[in-house]
Amino acid sequence: MSMSQDLPPVAPSVTAELVAALTPRLRKRLDAGIAKLAARPAVRDGDTVRIAVDDSTDLELHAPDGTVTSGAAIRCGCLLAPDCLHRAAAASAAPIAEPVAEGATSGASEADDSARREANSETRRDSSLAFASDAQRTAAQGLFQATAAALDAGTDGAGAVVQAELLRAAHTARLAGLPRAAASAVSVVTAVRAARSADPAYRLTDLVSALTDVLTVAHRVPYATGPELTELRGTVRQPYTPDGSLRLYGVFSEPVLSATGYAGAVSWTADAEGRLYTVSDVAPGGSGRAVGAADRAVRIGDTALTHRELSRAGLAVSGATVSPTGRLGAGATVRAVRASGAGWGEEPLDRLWAEPVADQVSRALDGGHGLLFLDVTLAGTVRESAGDVLLADCAGLTLRLAAAHDHPALPHRDNLRLLAAAPGTRLRVVARLVPAPQSRALLLACAHPTDPGGHLDLGLDRLRRADLPAAATPSTAAAALCSSDEAPLHLLRRRVHQAASGGRRVLAFPGSAASDDRRLSDRGLATAADLLDDLHAAAADRARDPFGRLLPADTDRFARAWLAAARYTEEIDRALCAAAWRAGRRLPVPAARTD
């Protein structure tokens, strides 16, 4: 376990404040200071976490509510305190705290409260015109520049100082009334930290998604109006509305282990009409919390059901409150008791699998929950760069079913290998759609191969060889899939991912850009070829002053070129995904530029 999991979460504004207070000399030593501090033991004593910097100096983080919300809560006993390196290093090493809900800002500074009230007042004045306020435009511009600097550096070069600047911009954006952009920026910082620490939970696709979202919002906010602006602003907390009494049936549970430093479990349930509801227990933590959350009682009413039990039982809820995404609230007025469950082949759960696959995919691509309920026949495996994936036939479609998580503490990958050893087996599965040129999804749960009435939560339960059928027949789907002819969109996607990981410099050197451009153009992807050419040109563009010295790179130009490529790839992936699933969506004609 890394030291960051032993430290309490620290508010982004606190980290930004402490790093900004450092002298230029200490800023250069900050990354080394974080690495040195990470090697020291952290001991928790009530609300205080104490780190022994050396034999005579202690560093303390005080978190009375579980979160460090002010710089004064981080105290150091060294001679240079409070302007020492240790305080900033501890804040930079700790997990990033979630935003405080509106009206619960006891730990915020008076200046922050004043700025928030002013921003909210200005937003309300402009709401009739639905234009971004001056504060939001300024915050969006600052956030774009800070994110562009992080993209320019890549994960290897985005050290604690770059991260702190992005956290400062995120804090300013939140005060200005842009919680969506602020949350995405925090996700970028957390993903960068995970990449730099070789965290097994890190995924490059998560970093790319967060970078794309924060740059998109920061770029569009100054120009957006009406419903688009409302969506770009986002909300700090999802509202919960009363929903009366509910009779729910457990469907499955999945562990949560995110690159943003949160872990736990989510149980999915359905009512008699097939509407889905979730019960969540997610908090700061690592793989241990993700594994253990399944056996903790769900946080709703007085029920003693664990998440593992709820996935196979039922729940009767009175006074229910529900968020727009279907998450059940756990307020004081909510009552819940255990009830009988239903098998996947019984009503009302059976209707989840009765919906046509194309309709399920269309709903997921249009912003739905993303779950797919499929009847499949296993067909073996195919090797990919990220590992083996399970092949399956679904009503004539050949699917790629990948592990939902690669962390070794979770059984996803082991269960996938065992299922691959039983080709010809027919199963009901629950998977999460992955927008990709092929029919692809993450496998979350499956019916028990030999017990018709049971199912397995593949992130929590371990499949055994004895659970597999004694004999199975091989399928020809693997050969058909491996011979499929795909558009070479990966040539552009690879450069987008390389830039997010290695920064602008990895695209600044001459390479295979010309051949990639030609391959894209030859396959009818002329816009992709233009975007790839612009991305390389923006990366290599370095002007010189009259004395021949290189001027600083234009990070904003590179960020715009990267964003155009990322958005294009994202939209084409969605369209190709719909075509692969026969979902009937038309290919869009995306703009080649975002400016």
Side-chain angles (χ1 to χ4, degrees):
M1 180 182 292
S2 66
M3 188 193 72
S4 66
Q5 296 174 5
D6 297 326
L7 300 179
V10 176
S13 59
V14 174
T15 304
E17 170 193 341
L18 295 180
V19 173
L22 295 176
T23 64
R25 181 178 65 86
L26 289 180
R27 285 193 180 195
K28 294 179 181 179
R29 297 170 50 192
L30 181 56
D31 289 318
I34 294 172
K36 183 178 179 181
L37 198 66
R40 306 299 298 174
V43 179
R44 184 177 294 273
D45 181 14
D47 296 331
T48 301
V49 174
R50 187 173 293 104
I51 304 171
V53 177
D54 54 41
D55 294 339
S56 59
T57 304
D58 284 342
L59 176 68
E60 294 182 348
L61 291 83
H62 186 56
D65 297 320
T67 301
V68 177
T69 56
S70 69
I74 303 179
R75 301 184 289 268
C76 184
C78 74
L79 296 177
L80 295 179
D83 299 323
C84 63
L85 181 69
H86 304 130
R87 299 172 68 229
S92 299
I96 302 174
E98 280 193 325
V100 180
E102 196 73 30
T105 58
S106 59
S109 67
E110 182 178 348
D112 285 355
D113 287 339
S114 176
R116 184 183 291 105
R117 288 193 296 269
E118 182 178 350
N120 290 341
S121 175
E122 189 172 357
T123 299
R124 283 192 293 270
R125 287 198 305 270
D126 293 344
S127 60
S128 59
L129 300 176
F131 297 133
S133 65
D134 291 341
Q136 288 174 341
R137 294 189 186 95
T138 302
Q141 181 181 7
L143 192 55
F144 190 94
Q145 293 172 347
T147 308
L151 177 64
D152 181 81
T155 56
D156 292 339
V161 174
V162 174
Q163 296 168 26
E165 290 300 323
L166 187 49
L167 290 178
R168 176 181 292 279
H171 180 61
T172 302
R174 188 172 299 281
L175 294 181
L178 299 175
R180 173 182 166 182
S184 294
V186 170
S187 295
V188 169
V189 174
T190 308
V192 167
R193 291 183 180 180
R196 292 171 62 86
S197 63
D199 189 334
Y202 167 71
R203 288 187 175 183
L204 178 57
T205 53
D206 292 339
L207 173 60
V208 171
S209 177
L211 281 168
T212 302
D213 191 64
V214 66
L215 288 173
T216 297
V217 175
H219 174 77
R220 285 298 306 159
V221 159
Y223 314 105
T225 59
E228 182 192 6
L229 179 59
T230 300
E231 180 181 357
L232 291 172
R233 284 170 176 159
T235 57
V236 177
R237 286 288 188 271
Q238 291 189 351
Y240 286 81
T241 58
D243 202 14
S245 298
L246 297 173
R247 176 65 170 91
L248 304 176
Y249 301 83
V251 182
F252 77 101
S253 293
E254 61 175 322
V256 175
L257 182 57
S258 72
T260 56
Y262 287 82
V266 173
S267 290
W268 291 80
T269 64
D271 65 8
E273 282 72 42
R275 290 190 298 265
L276 294 176
Y277 299 83
T278 60
V279 180
S280 178
D281 179 12
V282 178
S287 59
R289 192 178 197 286
V291 173
D295 295 314
R296 284 196 290 269
V298 298
R299 297 180 177 179
I300 179 169
D302 299 323
T303 179
L305 276 173
T306 66
H307 285 273
R308 194 187 302 274
E309 292 170 337
L310 178 57
S311 71
R312 294 164 175 83
L315 207 60
V317 185
S318 62
T321 57
V322 184
S323 77
T325 59
R327 180 175 176 177
L328 291 173
T333 60
V334 179
R335 298 289 181 267
V337 296
R338 179 172 186 158
S340 60
W344 284 5
E346 303 170 353
E347 286 293 339
L349 299 186
D350 183 64
R351 66 180 58 193
L352 296 174
W353 280 265
E355 183 181 6
V357 175
D359 293 347
Q360 296 187 50
V361 172
S362 295
R363 182 190 60 243
L365 291 174
D366 290 336
H369 50 66
L371 296 184
L372 303 178
F373 300 89
L374 310 172
D375 288 301
V376 304
T377 301
L378 304 184
T381 60
V382 65
R383 183 172 296 277
E384 296 182 344
S385 58
D388 292 347
V389 297
L390 179 63
L391 302 181
D393 178 82
C394 176
L397 290 174
T398 304
L399 314 183
R400 297 183 182 223
L401 298 174
H405 211 292
D406 289 327
H407 197 286
L410 302 175
H412 285 291
R413 181 64 65 183
D414 293 339
N415 287 334
L416 200 72
R417 291 193 187 99
L418 281 176
L419 289 173
T425 303
R426 294 183 57 82
L427 289 175
R428 278 197 160 176
V429 303
V430 182
R432 179 169 286 114
L433 179 69
V434 176
Q438 318 92 7
S439 303
R440 187 182 186 88
L442 302 178
L443 191 56
L444 302 173
C446 72
H448 197 288
T450 54
D451 180 5
H455 77 266
L456 297 166
D457 298 327
L458 297 176
L460 303 174
D461 305 322
R462 286 197 176 272
L463 188 66
R464 303 181 186 279
R465 289 197 177 275
D467 297 325
L468 300 178
T473 57
S475 171
T476 60
L481 186 145
C482 292
S483 62
S484 62
D485 187 21
E486 299 172 7
L489 192 63
H490 66 277
L491 298 175
L492 179 61
R493 185 188 303 107
R494 180 176 61 191
R495 300 306 183 191
V496 169
H497 286 199
Q498 284 178 339
S501 179
R504 176 189 52 79
R505 63 185 180 276
V506 301
L507 301 185
F509 302 103
S512 59
S515 62
D516 289 348
D517 286 351
R518 187 165 52 253
R519 286 184 63 189
L520 289 168
S521 297
D522 290 346
R523 297 298 299 274
L525 296 173
T527 301
D530 290 342
L531 290 171
L532 182 59
D533 185 63
D534 285 353
L535 187 59
H536 279 282
D541 183 19
R542 293 292 301 274
R544 295 181 180 271
D545 66 12
F547 299 99
R549 295 172 298 192
L550 280 174
L551 295 174
D554 188 347
T555 57
D556 280 12
R557 180 194 171 188
F558 179 68
R560 289 193 297 271
W562 183 91
L563 177 60
R567 288 298 303 271
Y568 175 89
T569 304
E570 184 180 87
E571 289 301 318
I572 294 297
D573 272 345
R574 289 166 59 87
L576 292 176
C577 174
W581 288 90
R582 304 171 188 168
R585 288 166 59 100
R586 294 182 178 178
L587 279 170
V589 183
R593 302 290 186 273
T594 58
D595 53 353

